[in-house]
Amino acid sequence: QVQLVESGGGLVQPGGSLRLTCEASGFASHYYAMGWFRQAPGKEREGVSCISSNDHSTYYVDSVKGRFTISRDNAKKTVYLQMNNLKPEDTGVYYCATACRNNPLGPYLDGMNYWGKGTLVTVST
């Protein structure tokens, strides 16, 4: 059974940090470009960051460049998102998914993808 399970969300003050973790099971995740997506209330889902399956190159949406870092550990079938200097506009449900492509590296929502159920990140005083 294919599963992507996110963890690490929560409530944090502006300027704080969180580390999201995505654990994959039931498929060969090391063959897939993986990524993080988020959906804020009343907004469409957007691709935040992707990491390639081969050379671990990375993609970030402009709004998180310099603040977020994506990484993966294929031996543990895990993808991480380190989020620093969080802002209120980073608030939303964060999803782990295979909805990325390697070339060019970036979000790719077409086709069949695996998605987790999401973890809520709230940045507020």
Side-chain angles (χ1 to χ4, degrees), residues 69-83:
T69 303
I70 190 171
S71 61
R72 67 191 297 168
D73 184 336
N74 286 338
K76 295 182 178 180
K77 304 188 76 172
T78 302
V79 179
Y80 306 96
L81 186 68
Q82 177 67 42
M83 306 186 296

Side-chain angles (χ1 to χ4, degrees), residues 35-116:
W36 291 92
F37 297 74
R38 68 186 177 191
Q39 188 163 20
K43 294 188 176 181
E44 293 186 355
R45 191 172 297 188
E46 69 168 342
V48 174
S49 182
C50 295
I51 186 165
S52 69
S53 60
N54 42 27
D55 61 1
H56 292 194
S57 57
T58 57
Y59 158 92
Y60 299 96
V61 69
D62 285 347
S63 59
V64 308
K65 286 181 179 177
R67 301 188 296 121
F68 289 11
T69 303
I70 190 171
S71 61
R72 67 191 297 168
D73 184 336
N74 286 338
K76 295 182 178 180
K77 304 188 76 172
T78 302
V79 179
Y80 306 96
L81 186 68
Q82 177 67 42
M83 306 186 296
N84 298 328
N85 190 21
L86 282 160
K87 303 177 180 181
E89 51 264 41
D90 295 317
T91 293
V93 179
Y94 283 69
Y95 300 90
C96 176
T98 60
C100 293
R101 62 182 174 183
N102 279 317
N103 188 21
L105 181 62
Y108 187 71
L109 298 178
D110 291 348
M112 192 186 77
N113 291 300
Y114 302 132
W115 290 86

